[in-house]
Amino acid sequence: MKRIEKVGVVGSGTMGAQIAMVCAMAGYQVVLQDIQKDRLKKAEESLHFHMNNRIAKGKLTEEEVEKAFRLLTYTTSLEDFQDVDFVIEAIVEKLSVKRDVFAELDQITPQHTILATNSSTIVSSKIASATNRPEKVCNTHFFNPPLVMELVEVVCGEHTSAETADTAFQFIKNINKLPVLLNKEISGFVANRILGALLDEAVYLLENDYASHEEIDLIVQKALKHPIGPFALLDLTGLDVSYYVKQERYEETGLESDRPSKLIEQKVKNGELGRKTGKGFYSYQNKITT
């Protein structure tokens, strides 16, 4: 396996932008791609905001941050991935869109390049068949926000080679994150399956008027010692993300228990996606776009 020197990240939302910065901070050359220039601009502005905060708090020096930004470039074209060694896809949770992107990446990137998806629920076996290198496809699931969260789930399907798994595992260590290797695929992996059960129960309790979303969040924080309540968490990650995850799971299983809740569906239709739109279960004075 060729040594990883350059990383490509597809998607400049919160996950993609911060994953790109994590890689740059570890000394890798990074190309961050998005199909819309305005998203890339917002991603760059957001990263400067977060990194300046770390400088102000004494966590990083100006020199460290400036060096990372010099390693990070922005593009609207996947053609700029022609010399990357490792790709992390972090786009919308829609299988058909991911398959299209991986098929394009397969044609553009060198044959040695590992193609990883950051999907929080879609197993890579559903994506790998869109390429001619299924043995080099895996999941590397970062948690939100990647600049803060330490753990990354590296998930291997039957198609993933041992060499790819080992390389991905070591790469995650090299970017100063804590990798955990899952040797079998399961939709949602470990953390999100456990978290999903909690979120589903919280939505059920709200929909059936057992308590308000504020009260449920308070109970979870004070009684279970979670740092953030389930509805505040949904707002943080984006209600659209939750909706698409549930929709993909429902299409896979056909189980009514996996269907997105009517409450979440209505909020998505209303454009109330959480922090990034200024309103979700809570209202926010300033929109957070990345």
Side-chain angles (χ1 to χ4, degrees):
M1 180 67 72
K2 185 178 181 296
R3 182 170 176 264
I4 296 173
E5 297 178 354
K6 191 170 184 178
V7 179
V9 179
V10 186
S12 65
T14 300
M15 297 303 296
Q18 293 195 18
I19 290 170
M21 179 52 69
V22 166
C23 295
M25 287 296 298
Y28 290 95
Q29 295 182 61
V30 184
V31 183
L32 177 60
Q33 185 271 345
D34 202 300
I35 58 175
Q36 294 187 17
K37 285 185 178 181
D38 64 329
R39 290 179 184 171
L40 289 169
K41 180 176 176 56
K42 289 176 182 177
E44 185 175 10
E45 291 172 352
S46 176
L47 288 175
H48 277 286
F49 172 79
H50 287 299
M51 303 312 286
N52 286 338
N53 276 348
R54 282 162 172 72
I55 293 172
K57 294 177 180 178
K59 295 181 177 180
L60 294 170
T61 66
E62 289 187 14
E63 292 76 15
E64 289 172 325
V65 171
E66 288 173 0
K67 180 181 178 181
F69 274 111
R70 286 197 298 270
L71 290 170
L72 178 58
T73 58
Y74 308 86
T75 182
T76 57
S77 175
L78 287 178
E79 292 293 333
D80 291 323
F81 282 33
Q82 291 184 17
D83 59 346
V84 301
D85 306 304
F86 199 102
V87 174
I88 302 170
E89 166 271 312
I91 61 173
V92 65
E93 287 288 85
K94 292 186 178 180
L95 178 59
S96 60
V97 180
K98 291 182 186 293
R99 285 180 59 85
D100 287 345
V101 167
F102 271 70
E104 188 173 355
L105 288 168
D106 187 47
Q107 297 300 312
I108 293 170
T109 59
Q111 283 302 303
H112 71 267
T113 304
I114 291 174
L115 305 178
T117 174
N118 180 58
S119 174
S120 59
T121 187
I122 300 173
V123 293
S124 64
S125 59
K126 291 179 175 287
I127 302 171
S129 58
T131 76
N132 292 309
R133 62 180 94 178
E135 74 283 357
K136 295 186 182 298
V137 178
C138 67
N139 288 85
T140 52
H141 178 221
F142 292 73
F143 292 86
N144 188 26
L147 283 171
V148 176
M149 300 297 283
E150 182 182 11
L151 189 77
V152 178
E153 292 173 316
V154 178
V155 188
C156 303
E158 292 184 358
H159 58 283
T160 308
S161 71
E163 184 179 47
T164 294
D166 291 343
T167 303
F169 188 90
Q170 186 58 52
F171 171 72
I172 297 302
K173 292 180 69 175
N174 290 346
I175 61 173
N176 303 308
K177 296 297 182 183
L178 176 63
V180 174
L181 183 65
L182 278 64
N183 292 313
K184 290 173 62 176
E185 290 186 330
I186 185 169
S187 178
F189 317 132
V190 174
N192 275 0
R193 291 184 71 88
I194 295 171
L195 177 61
L198 184 147
L199 295 176
D200 287 347
E201 185 63 23
V203 171
Y204 171 84
L205 292 169
L206 177 61
E207 286 185 320
N208 288 276
D209 297 322
Y210 288 101
S212 68
H213 66 272
E214 296 96 338
E215 291 167 333
I216 294 170
D217 276 359
L218 181 63
I219 291 168
V220 170
Q221 286 182 280
K222 297 302 183 181
L224 303 182
K225 295 299 183 181
H226 288 209
I228 187 172
F231 295 103
L233 180 59
L234 284 167
D235 277 1
L236 177 63
T237 58
L239 273 71
D240 54 334
V241 175
S242 176
Y243 175 79
Y244 290 134
V245 166
K246 292 288 287 184
Q247 188 63 32
E248 286 288 346
R249 183 80 62 81
Y250 174 65
E251 290 177 3
E252 176 184 339
T253 67
L255 298 174
E256 282 300 312
S257 59
D258 287 332
R259 185 193 288 273
S261 76
K262 292 181 179 179
L263 177 60
I264 300 293
E265 183 176 16
Q266 189 59 54
K267 282 190 171 292
V268 171
K269 287 181 178 178
N270 292 342
E272 298 175 5
L273 308 182
R275 286 179 176 263
K276 59 186 170 184
T277 59
K279 185 177 181 181
F281 285 99
Y282 297 90
S283 294
Y284 304 89
Q285 186 174 2
N286 298 314
K287 293 181 182 179
I288 301 176
T289 54
T290 60

